Amino acid sequence: SIVEFEVAAALIEDASKFAGRAFVYIRDPSFIDSIPGLNRGDFTEEDPSNLLALEAFKKRLHSIDNLPVVDNYPEPSKVMDKIQRDLKKVVKQVYDKETRRRLLSPQRKFNLSYCSEPIAHYVLD
């Protein structure tokens, strides 16, 4: 998968480069039961070899030192607070308050208007 290639290039090869800036959130397999039938195919893998590859990928993620992994969150709304805290922490580590304000130009404000409200909050706080 594309995600696996990205992780391999970044974390598996040089995890220290992304220490404290990479997070993994793995949903509970039972989450699929809440998805309407027609849309389930977007969230499931049917090919047995791909299922094995996915499990191997998850094991590799768990083996990376200092990589926070949240396992089995029941649904996106249940993990959102954790994701928001993690992202806010990283943004504050990378950019000081004035830089965050400067980067929030009128165009960026317009772009952020299409995102959830908390994202704009990360940049400004």
Side-chain angles (χ1 to χ4, degrees), residues 35-96:
I35 305 293
L38 293 175
N39 297 326
R40 284 187 184 169
D42 295 337
F43 296 90
T44 60
E45 181 54 66
E46 302 295 327
D47 184 321
S49 64
N50 289 342
L51 286 170
L52 290 173
L54 178 60
E55 289 307 312
F57 176 53
K58 289 177 184 179
K59 285 181 183 176
R60 281 197 308 277
L61 289 172
H62 282 92
S63 72
I64 298 171
D65 291 336
N66 301 314
L67 177 64
V69 178
V70 173
D71 277 310
N72 297 317
Y73 67 84
E75 61 183 75
S77 66
K78 301 293 183 191
V79 75
M80 187 54 68
D81 287 341
K82 172 75 173 134
I83 294 170
Q84 289 174 351
R85 285 191 309 273
D86 290 343
L87 292 176
K88 188 172 185 175
K89 181 179 174 184
V90 171
V91 168
K92 285 186 171 190
Q93 287 173 348
V94 174
Y95 302 105
D96 63 49

